[in-house]
Amino acid sequence: MNRFIRRIKRNLICLKKAQKKSARIAISVMYIAFLFFGLSYFLEDSEEITEILLVIALFVLIVDIFITYCYYIIERSNYRFFAFHKYDDELIGNNFTGFKKKDKIFSTALDELFSKRVKNALDLFISLKDYELSDSEKGIVHFYIARCYQLIGFPSNALSNYETALSFNFNHNLVPLFMSRCCGDMGEIDKAIEIFNETLENKNEYIGIFKTDIGRMYLAENNGREALKWFLDAVEKHEDYSNALGGCAIAYTLIHDLESGEKYYKKALLNNISNPNDFTSYYKKIQASVILDGNHSSNNN
């Protein structure tokens, strides 16, 4: 029943937005028409002009209804059948589903975030802290504030807001993953691994991504051997598979095992690693650096 109520609310909000967009067009048409024929009415004092104005009003009303319907279809098409929120509906749930100003601000902030206008989104999410929010809403707001900080490169701010989100019982599986990445960005790999170990107990669905993330943290510190352990574990368990293969390619190359690196490089491409062009560029750069060192072997694992 709750899902149907949310759907009705979303339909009403979409209809309201559509009506506002349509009204601008309808009022403009009516204003121009009444201005033209209204002047004629006063200048010619013709009774026919009155009838013309009424016909124009009826025509504009029909146009307004038609345009409203078109805009409504466009607005509603951005949402799944039962979804209230355009983005992250499963993550946000029944929060911010009303008609208050805070709900409108939250929706606008989400639009800004997913349109990659992250600074605008951050300002809007922060402004929500001035409103009366439930604990659940506070958790969600702090999660998105953290996400914005993380995307614009402030991992310390992001981490503190993720922790605040957890304090309000926002326990989505993405939170420890993003917290781990913040720790990695701050060079605190031990803390990232600590979060990973805690996550193992909770059977987090993102465990494979955790492993490849930590592997990349070690790569960033030029520690190919430690990175390789994490990537190989993920490959063995077929977790985040293509990225794990790519990580192995870089790690093997970094420890001067070019033959194994080339083998995993090809496997990664064959398994559709994400951003293959960027991956190839990075791999070739590492490979060229190792070759220039001159201290490498065909099989050094």
Side-chain angles (χ1 to χ4, degrees), residues 63-196:
V63 169
D64 184 33
I65 292 172
F66 175 74
I67 296 175
T68 298
Y69 176 74
C70 291
Y71 274 125
Y72 166 77
I73 295 297
I74 294 171
E75 284 283 338
R76 193 65 184 87
S77 66
N78 292 320
Y79 301 83
R80 295 190 301 278
F81 188 74
F82 282 109
F84 184 89
H85 299 285
K86 191 184 299 184
Y87 313 99
D88 293 345
D89 190 61
E90 298 84 359
L91 190 133
I92 301 164
N94 292 322
N95 298 284
F96 297 104
T97 57
F99 300 94
K100 296 179 181 178
K101 188 173 182 179
K102 66 177 183 179
D103 305 307
K104 182 179 179 181
I105 292 174
F106 182 81
S107 178
T108 303
L110 275 183
D111 285 338
E112 291 294 293
L113 176 59
F114 282 87
S115 297
K116 298 183 179 179
R117 294 184 287 270
V118 183
K119 183 62 172 64
N120 292 344
L122 177 60
D123 291 340
L124 288 169
F125 284 126
I126 289 175
S127 74
L128 283 169
K129 294 198 290 185
D130 295 332
Y131 291 82
E132 184 176 345
L133 305 175
S134 67
D135 283 353
S136 179
E137 289 173 334
K138 288 176 183 177
I140 289 168
V141 166
H142 279 283
F143 169 79
Y144 280 107
I145 290 173
R147 192 75 187 113
C148 290
Y149 274 127
Q150 190 169 20
L151 290 172
I152 61 178
F154 292 93
S156 178
N157 293 29
L159 184 61
S160 64
N161 276 281
Y162 283 132
E163 290 170 346
T164 303
L166 285 175
S167 72
F168 287 110
N169 295 316
F170 185 82
N171 294 317
H172 195 276
N173 285 339
L174 282 170
V175 176
L177 176 66
F178 291 154
M179 289 176 66
S180 174
R181 288 179 178 178
C182 288
C183 293
D185 290 338
M186 293 187 293
E188 299 179 5
I189 299 182
D190 289 342
K191 189 172 180 180
I193 293 174
E194 183 182 326
I195 294 172
F196 167 79

Side-chain angles (χ1 to χ4, degrees), residues 203-259:
K203 298 180 180 179
N204 192 303
E205 63 189 288
Y206 301 106
I207 202 68
I209 299 175
F210 257 105
K211 292 176 182 177
T212 52
D213 273 2
I214 294 173
R216 280 190 285 267
M217 292 175 199
Y218 278 116
L219 287 181
E221 292 198 344
N222 205 33
N223 191 339
R225 294 195 180 279
E226 283 299 319
L228 189 58
K229 293 176 184 178
W230 290 87
F231 290 129
L232 285 175
D233 186 40
V235 168
E236 182 182 344
K237 295 174 182 175
H238 222 274
E239 297 168 330
D240 196 19
Y241 191 59
S242 63
N243 289 321
L245 290 170
C248 286
I250 301 298
Y252 270 121
T253 304
L254 203 59
I255 63 173
H256 294 211
D257 185 350
L258 299 184
E259 183 178 325

